[in-house]
Each structure stands twice: as C-alpha cells, then as structure tokens.
C-alpha cells in the first residue's frame, strides 16, 4: 500500500481567493488530473476505489491532482460554482508548479473543465485524455419530464440526507458510480460522500454540473485527444461519451466493457484502460523516469532531474542506517554543516525506516494473536508480583487499571495492566519499557508519579499512586466548568507539560480522561510514557489507537510531532472545559480527522459569551492548524493564562 510519505500536499490560491489543495506523487514527466467530484486528497490515498488509479498513473509520471473548490481539503466556504471558477482553480495549480507543457486527464465532470482549460490556454496541453466524461450537462441533453423529476429527487435527497449517518441516499448515489463494487468498495465510497463536502455544497455542485455546456469549446480542440467510456456506465450515458468524441476533431474513441463509472482494480477493462492511456502518451512502467517531485521540493521551481542527488541521499542513508544511534547523530551533524538539505532528506528516511520496522513487528504480533487492546482476564484477588489486586477501577485503549495493595510497603497503589501485544515481541517490549522509564524520571507536582515499570508472568504493568479524585472527563460530562476552575486546571496542566517538554518528552495523548483532579484540586497528568506507543499508526491492521478527537492536525496525518502538538491538545481540552462540548465531532474516524485538519470549532464567544477575550484568544491560537502559528512553548501559554482574571 502507498504511504503518506510518498504524497506531497500543498495549497495555492485561486483568482478569487479560494484555497485549493493539490498533491504530487510519483516520478517522471507531469500528468495533470483536472478535479472531478467526488474527491479528497487524503481519503482517496488508501481508498480501494481510487488507490490503484493513483498507483498506476504515478508509475510513469509525476501525477498532479487537486481537490475541487468546496470539496476535500480545499476551501468549503465558496460562492462561485461555475466553469470559469473551476478552470481558474486548475490554472492556479499549474502556475504554482510552474508547469509549461503537460498531458491533461479529465475524468467525469473533470472532462468539461479540462476541455475549457485546453482551449483557454493554448500551448499548455500536449495530450488530452477524457474518461467517462461529457461535453454537456443533463440540462442540455433534451431533458424529458422523467429526467427532470429524477434530478429534483436526487437534489432533494442530497439536501436532506448527504451528511446523515444512515446510508440510504449515499447507497443510491454509490450504486450509480460503482454498481459492481464489493461491500468494501461501497463502504469507502459511502464515506467519501460524507466527508468530501457538506450537503449544501453537494447540492450546489450537482446543480452546476447539470448546466455545464462545452460543446462549442470541444469543437475548437486541436491537440491529440483520447476519449474512453464504459458501455454500460450508469452515471454518464455511453451516448454522451460518443458525442464528446465526435465533437473533438481527430479524437480517438475507445469503448470499454463495464458498468462502473469509476473502474475498480478488478474490472476486466482496467488493464485495457491503462494500456490505451500509456500507448497514447508513449510511456510504460519499465521505462526509467528522469523527473520527480519529492518531499521538500520548492513548488516555485520547475520539476527537474534528481537522479544524481538521489544517489547521494541513498548512499548516505545506507551508511547511516547501519550505525548505532549515537554515531548516527554525529554523522548527521557533520553533514548538516555542509549540506542541511541532505541531512533533512536522510533523517526523514531514517525516521520512516524506524517507524516501518516497528510497524511490521506490531503487525505480525497483532495479526498472529488477534489480541484485544485491553488487558483481559479477571485479576481480582490475584497477586501480581508483590501487589494484591483489590478491584478494577477503569479500562481504556491502553489497558485496564486496578486498585491494589503494595504488600512490601503496605500502601494502596494503582496498577495499569498493559495490552498483551506489548509483551509479544521482545524488541517492542524493550522499547516500551525504555519509553516508560524515561517518563518515570519526571518529577513534578502535576505529573502522575510512576513507582515502577515491570513485568510479571509475561504481563507488563505500571505502578502509580492511587489518587482520591476523578478525571477531568467525568467533571466535563456534568457540563461546563466554572471559569475559575477552568483557569486553575489549565495552568496546572500547562505547568506539567512545561516540565516534561523541558525534559524532551512529549505526551502525545493529552485529553480529559488523562487528567486526574484530586479531591484537593491538584491536577495530575496521567499516561506519560505509554502515549508514544498509543499513537503509533496501526490502522493497517484495523486497530485504532489513541484518541482522535484530541490529536493535532499534524499528528492525525502521521507526521513527526513536537511539544506544540501537546499544546494543540491542551487547547481542545480548555475549549471543552469552557463549552462542555468537544471542539471537533464527526460520525466516523475519517470524518473526525477531516474536521480536525480543515474545520474551525464553533465560536467560544457564542457558546459561552462571558468568556474573557484573552482566554478566547489563547485557545484560538492553540488551535491554529499551522503548527508554526501556535505558541512555541508551554511557558508562553502559562504566562498568558496566569494573567487572566477568573
């Protein structure tokens, strides 16, 4: 499966100020894909509906695609839904990458946009590929009363049912796009509809598509054109594909067997489609690419040859990966003095290598044992080492918590029994113990003390004080917290974070459930040391770990995080204490990640009008999507909070 490390996502601004998200992947000469509905640059990446398209098209080219305005990662709050606006968006992407001459692919509604762009930008497009597309929307197809009635029903269903949890409408729409899709395909496409845009935007986009008319423009195309269309396409009639080919002078028309509007990987016609496109462009996978877009490329520079540079990066990586950690750091520091960019490249590869190695080990453990994330079994009355288990007090994604008596020191403690998968692989277990013991060295009044990290009969456990109190989560469940309590708890949390960050430790899972408030009002941050493992990306095995609602945008993208990720999570927690509501919500994990990365939470000033302006301002700053716009450290946040009167 392709990884996020292979895809570069950036933003440009269209002529009317709308931000457009675009992505590049692959190596070779550029191939630009005009935006088509539905799309989401990140969601499509692992979708069984689209991932084979991205994989195969990027084998021979640098594939460039973007999310349509009002969709995916592009701006949703837009006014102009017109052909002119869509063409300007494509022009903005081309300008951002400084592309001079390239083939252009138009799929479905992307076809009319590609046609209009090619006519308005003569000399830019070398080849035009149109698949499952049309020259005229349904309002220009001699509409019958039955067709008009069907259109109104579809628009109404989108208006009332697009974003709902139940799949009734989405199932209808999905059946038009992939009638032969498997349950997995259907579920992915259903979810794509829900997260790709809002019900209001969906209706406006559908209305705009119905009124597209590029018939006259198609007749003016004077570049090599390939038109492909499935014979039994339920979304765009085959007759429209045939008409489109007849309008473009010299266009080659390729009828393909199949019903799916979007060819799936197991479609019999998928290999034929790829062969036709590659023959048309004169490129094949066995050819060695000479051009690429890579992570860190300046989008203002043209795409240029990188083979020599890649050999240099590869050689240094092979040397560094074989060194012990200390020697590796010395080597990279020497490289940075003469070539900072080279160090950045190699360090990124080393990080990916370490992550992949650990993921493979965890994948094997989880796949082989099919263990649950919680510590299973009834431990009441049992002895774990010299601790007698008295009662279970809670359970979460990273284990079960029991009250126990320390027989040696005759005191009550809390035992956290960790998930079985952490004990299955020796290297994984040792790495976890190192992380936990490093966190145990933290000594601060607002950080939960760790007495011991040990193993008993194959069961890893952590020993902590047994506090009298309740979690912040339970307090918030009763409603908004008083302003004075919110400020007091926030200051204590940020002071604990400041101490940890100064020690080089990032929590990675700050949330109300990980903040204990004792009966005396003392805040204790829980779970330092295990959050690093909790947020390891194990979604490939179907395991969801960590708490998505409190993840920073960069953490939800699987990027390397620093202390500013904890500050984002703190902002979400303060927001929740003030409003009694979560800052970001959705009906699915994918939808929640999209909201975190693209939406703003509801205004605190409206949810709690008497909130001090200074507090609203610092929360807003903590929740900046751009990590560089957040406060740089916890001390800065603490200073602001102490200056606010409760």
């Amino acid at each position: 499966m392709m990884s996020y490390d292979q895809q570069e996502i950036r933003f440009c601004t269209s002529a009317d100020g709308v931000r457009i998200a675009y992505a590049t992947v692959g190596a070779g000469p550029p191939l630009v894909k005009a935006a088509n509905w539905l799309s989401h640059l990140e969601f499509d990446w692992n979708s069984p509906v689209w991932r084979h398209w991205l994989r195969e098209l990027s084998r021979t080219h640098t594939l460039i695609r973007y999310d349509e305005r009002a969709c995916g990662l592009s701006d949703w709050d837009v006014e102009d839904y017109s052909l002119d606006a869509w063409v300007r968006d494509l022009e903005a992407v081309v300008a951002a990458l400084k592309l001079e001459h390239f083939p252009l692919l138009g799929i479905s509604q992307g076809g009319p946009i590609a046609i209009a762009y090619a006519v308005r930008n003569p000399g830019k497009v070398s080849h035009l590929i149109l698949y499952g597309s049309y020259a005229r929307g349904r309002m220009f197809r001699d509409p019958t009363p039955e067709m008009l009635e069907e259109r109104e029903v579809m628009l109404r269903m989108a208006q009332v049912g697009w974003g709902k949890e139940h799949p009734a409408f989405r199932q209808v729409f999905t059946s038009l796009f992939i009638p032969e899709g498997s349950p997995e395909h259907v579920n992915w496409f259903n979810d794509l509809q829900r997260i790709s845009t809002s019900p209001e935007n969906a209706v406006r986009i559908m209305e705009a598509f119905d009124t597209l008319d590029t018939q006259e423009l198609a007749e003016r195309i004077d570049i090599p054109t390939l038109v492909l269309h499935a014979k039994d396409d339920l979304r765009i009639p085959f007759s429209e594909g045939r008409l489109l080919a007849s309008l473009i002078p010299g266009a080659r028309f390729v009828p393909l067997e199949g019903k799916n509007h979007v060819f799936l990987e197991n479609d019999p016609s998928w290999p034929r489609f790829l062969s036709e496109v590659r023959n048309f462009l004169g490129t094949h996978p066995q050819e060695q690419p000479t051009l690429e877009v890579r992570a860190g490329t300046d989008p203002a520079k043209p795409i240029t040859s990188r083979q020599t540079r890649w050999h240099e990066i590869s050689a240094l990586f092979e040397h560094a990966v074989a060194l012990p950690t200390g020697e590796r750091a010395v080597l990279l520091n020497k490289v940075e003095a003469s070539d900072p960019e080279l160090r950045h490249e190699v360090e990124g590869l080393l990080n990916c290598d370490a992550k992949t190695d650990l993921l493979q080990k965890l994948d094997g453990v989880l796949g082989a044992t099919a263990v649950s994330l919680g510590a299973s079994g009834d431990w009441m009355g049992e002895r774990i080492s010299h601790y007698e288990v008295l009662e279970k007090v809670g359970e979460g994604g990273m284990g079960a918590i029991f009250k126990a008596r320390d027989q040696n020191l005759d005191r009550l403690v809390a035992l956290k029994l960790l998930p079985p998968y952490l004990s299955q692989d020796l290297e994984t277990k040792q790495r976890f113990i190192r992380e936990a013991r490093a966190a145990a060295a933290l000594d601060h009044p607002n950080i939960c003390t760790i007495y011991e990290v040990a193993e008993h009969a194959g069961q890893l456990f952590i020993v902590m004080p047994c506090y009298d109190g309740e979690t912040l989560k339970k307090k918030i469940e009763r409603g908004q917290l008083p302003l004075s309590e919110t400020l007091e708890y926030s200051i204590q949390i940020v002071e604990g974070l400041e101490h940890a960050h100064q020690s080089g430790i990032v929590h990675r899972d700050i949330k109300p459930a990980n903040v204990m408030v004792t009966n005396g009002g003392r805040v204790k941050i829980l779970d330092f040391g295990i959050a690093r493992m909790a947020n390891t990306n194990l979604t490939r095995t179907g395991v969801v770990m960590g708490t998505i609602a409190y993840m920073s945008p960069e953490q939800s993208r699987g990027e390397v995080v620093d202390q500013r990720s904890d500050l984002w999570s703190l902002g979400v927690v303060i927001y929740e204490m003030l409003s009694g509501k979560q800052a970001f919500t959705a009906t699915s994990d994918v939808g929640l990640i999209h909201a975190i990365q693209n939406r703003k939470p509801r205004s605190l000033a409206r949810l709690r009008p008497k909130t001090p302006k200074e507090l609203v301002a610092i929360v807003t700053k903590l929740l900046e999507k751009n990590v560089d716009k957040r406060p740089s450290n916890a001390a800065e946040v603490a200073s602001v909070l102490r200056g606010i009167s409760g």
Side-chain angles (χ1 to χ4, degrees):
M1 182 181 295
M2 295 178 292
S3 72
Y4 282 103
D5 294 333
Q6 296 172 273
Q7 175 176 240
E8 275 293 310
I9 298 177
R10 290 191 173 87
F11 293 84
C12 61
T13 304
S14 194
D16 59 352
V18 174
R19 287 180 305 173
I20 302 298
Y22 66 93
T24 55
V25 63
L31 168 61
V32 179
K33 175 183 168 295
N36 61 275
W37 198 51
L38 307 154
S39 78
H40 189 294
L41 293 180
E42 288 191 291
F43 185 83
D44 291 345
W45 191 244
N46 287 319
S47 165
V49 178
W50 284 111
R51 65 188 174 207
H52 55 290
W53 285 78
L54 308 184
R55 181 184 67 240
E56 295 301 329
L57 293 177
S58 64
R59 284 188 190 276
T60 53
H61 289 81
T62 295
L63 177 63
I64 299 158
R65 69 194 214 284
Y66 61 98
D67 281 334
E68 197 163 50
R69 57 176 51 214
C71 290
L73 300 181
S74 294
D75 278 353
W76 283 25
D77 185 13
V78 300
E79 293 298 326
D80 192 354
Y81 295 81
S82 67
L83 181 61
D84 284 343
W86 287 321
V87 172
R88 290 196 299 268
D89 294 345
L90 175 52
E91 289 171 339
V93 173
V94 170
L97 288 167
K98 290 189 174 292
L99 302 178
E100 295 299 330
H101 200 54
F102 53 88
L104 181 58
L105 169 64
I107 299 173
S108 193
Q109 300 90 356
I113 298 169
I115 291 169
Y117 177 89
V119 172
R120 298 181 193 188
N121 294 270
K124 281 282 190 181
V125 181
S126 63
H127 298 73
L128 185 60
I129 306 165
L130 304 171
Y131 165 71
S133 191
Y134 56 89
R136 57 183 186 175
R138 69 169 79 193
M139 298 305 292
F140 291 93
R141 298 175 194 166
D142 190 22
T144 63
E146 292 78 15
M147 188 276 285
L148 292 175
E149 183 178 359
E150 175 189 323
R151 175 177 182 266
E152 290 302 315
V153 169
M154 294 290 285
L155 292 173
R156 179 60 180 163
M157 290 179 71
Q159 189 175 35
V160 301
W162 189 269
K164 302 295 184 183
E165 177 61 30
H166 63 79
F169 166 74
R170 297 196 304 277
Q171 191 68 40
V172 172
F173 202 70
T174 297
S175 67
L176 296 177
F177 275 80
I178 48 172
E180 297 180 325
S182 68
E184 181 189 17
H185 293 122
V186 169
N187 288 336
W188 275 86
F189 203 87
N190 282 346
D191 280 343
L192 173 61
Q193 294 173 54
R194 183 166 52 186
I195 72 161
S196 62
T197 195
S198 66
E200 297 77 16
N201 287 345
V203 172
R204 295 188 66 180
I205 291 170
M206 291 168 70
E207 289 176 329
F209 283 151
D210 286 346
T211 58
L212 287 177
D213 186 6
T214 56
Q215 295 178 86
E216 292 184 5
L217 292 175
E219 294 175 346
R220 294 163 55 187
I221 294 290
D222 62 353
I223 54 178
T225 301
L226 178 67
V227 180
L228 309 99
H229 211 105
K231 294 179 180 178
D232 297 311
D233 189 333
L234 296 182
R235 179 62 182 162
I236 306 298
F238 179 73
S239 58
E240 292 302 313
R242 184 172 53 200
L243 172 64
L244 175 61
S246 70
L247 291 172
I248 300 175
R252 178 165 177 255
F253 184 54
V254 180
L256 298 169
E257 300 294 333
K259 295 181 179 179
N260 291 325
H261 182 56
V262 178
F263 276 142
L264 303 176
E265 192 167 13
N266 60 353
D267 264 313
S269 289
W270 172 241
R272 168 103 189 271
F273 170 85
L274 288 176
S275 177
E276 292 287 352
V277 170
R278 286 166 177 164
N279 287 335
F280 179 63
L281 297 178
T283 54
H284 296 276
Q286 64 268 23
E287 296 178 0
Q288 294 298 317
T290 58
L291 301 173
E292 66 173 305
V293 171
R294 61 172 183 86
T297 295
D298 183 348
K301 296 178 181 178
I303 300 171
T304 56
S305 176
R306 292 268 304 158
Q307 282 186 334
T308 302
R309 182 64 163 175
W310 172 246
H311 288 309
E312 186 178 4
I313 294 169
S314 179
L316 181 59
F317 167 76
E318 293 297 335
H319 177 51
V321 77
L323 295 175
T325 303
E327 295 181 28
R328 186 184 298 175
V330 172
L331 173 65
L332 292 176
N333 287 336
K334 289 181 179 178
V335 171
E336 184 171 27
S338 59
D339 194 339
E341 184 185 19
L342 179 58
R343 184 219 167 105
H344 175 75
E345 292 280 7
V346 174
E347 196 166 38
L349 291 173
L350 291 168
N351 289 336
C352 290
D353 177 75
K355 181 190 298 183
T356 302
D357 182 62
L358 178 62
L359 287 176
Q360 288 173 346
K361 288 179 169 56
L362 289 177
D363 280 352
V365 171
L366 288 164
T369 61
V371 296
S372 65
L373 292 180
S376 59
D378 182 2
W379 291 90
M380 265 70 84
E382 299 288 332
R383 285 176 63 94
I384 298 177
S385 185
H386 56 278
Y387 302 99
E388 179 187 0
V389 178
L390 301 177
E391 62 177 300
K392 187 175 184 178
V393 296
E395 185 167 7
M398 284 303 291
I401 302 176
F402 296 85
K403 181 186 288 187
R405 181 172 299 280
D406 183 339
Q407 299 288 348
N408 290 350
L409 299 176
D410 192 25
R411 63 180 176 181
L412 292 177
V413 297
L415 290 186
K416 185 156 206 172
L417 305 186
L418 297 166
Y421 75 83
L422 290 176
S423 304
Q424 301 294 320
D425 176 79
L426 179 60
E427 185 176 340
T428 301
K429 179 169 61 178
Q430 290 175 341
R431 176 174 170 180
F432 170 78
I433 291 174
R434 287 196 302 270
E435 296 281 353
R437 286 179 175 166
L442 296 173
D443 182 14
H444 190 274
N446 297 123
I447 296 176
C448 175
T449 303
I450 296 178
Y451 291 148
E452 184 180 5
V453 182
E455 181 181 9
H456 175 75
Q459 172 68 60
L460 280 172
F461 64 93
I462 293 177
V463 187
M464 302 169 288
C466 187
Y467 298 116
D468 289 326
E470 63 180 349
T471 64
L472 196 54
K473 180 176 185 291
K474 290 189 176 180
K475 287 183 174 292
I476 294 173
E477 286 173 352
R478 295 194 290 269
Q480 298 176 348
L481 271 59
L483 179 59
S484 59
E485 285 187 22
T486 297
L487 285 170
E488 179 59 31
Y489 298 156
S490 300
I491 290 170
Q492 291 190 58
I493 296 170
V494 79
E495 287 177 345
L497 289 176
E498 181 181 1
H499 177 77
H501 294 166
Q502 288 174 347
S503 301
I505 296 178
V506 180
H507 191 289
R508 295 177 173 81
D509 198 19
I510 293 295
K511 59 185 177 183
N514 274 341
V515 177
M516 172 68 71
V517 182
T518 70
N519 290 342
R522 174 70 67 182
V523 163
K524 299 287 185 179
I525 304 174
L526 311 177
D527 277 5
F528 268 107
I530 67 174
R532 182 182 182 91
M533 296 297 292
N535 288 316
T536 300
N537 181 7
L538 299 179
T539 54
R540 289 183 297 155
T541 59
V543 179
V544 178
M545 305 180 71
T547 310
I548 295 174
Y550 302 92
M551 287 183 179
S552 64
E554 62 271 20
Q555 187 177 4
S556 71
R557 290 192 292 267
E559 298 172 359
V560 176
V561 300
D562 59 21
Q563 71 275 6
R564 293 170 295 178
S565 182
D566 280 352
L567 296 183
W568 163 282
S569 302
L570 171 65
V572 178
V573 172
I574 299 175
Y575 181 99
E576 197 166 332
M577 285 192 283
L578 289 169
S579 67
K581 302 177 183 298
Q582 289 191 332
F584 303 96
T585 59
T587 55
S588 68
D589 288 345
V590 171
L592 185 54
I593 289 173
H594 179 266
I596 288 169
Q597 294 176 359
N598 298 278
R599 306 282 183 83
K600 292 182 178 180
R602 293 176 61 189
S603 168
L604 273 177
R606 292 185 180 180
L607 293 174
R608 192 164 179 172
K610 295 184 179 180
T611 304
K613 292 182 180 179
E614 299 87 350
L615 186 52
V616 172
I618 189 62
V619 172
T620 301
K621 193 171 182 181
L622 289 168
L623 296 181
E624 280 283 357
K625 311 290 187 189
N626 185 339
V627 65
D628 293 327
K629 293 183 179 180
R630 287 179 220 148
S632 60
N633 56 67
E636 180 182 341
V637 181
S639 176
V640 173
L641 292 174
R642 293 190 193 103
I644 299 173
S645 173

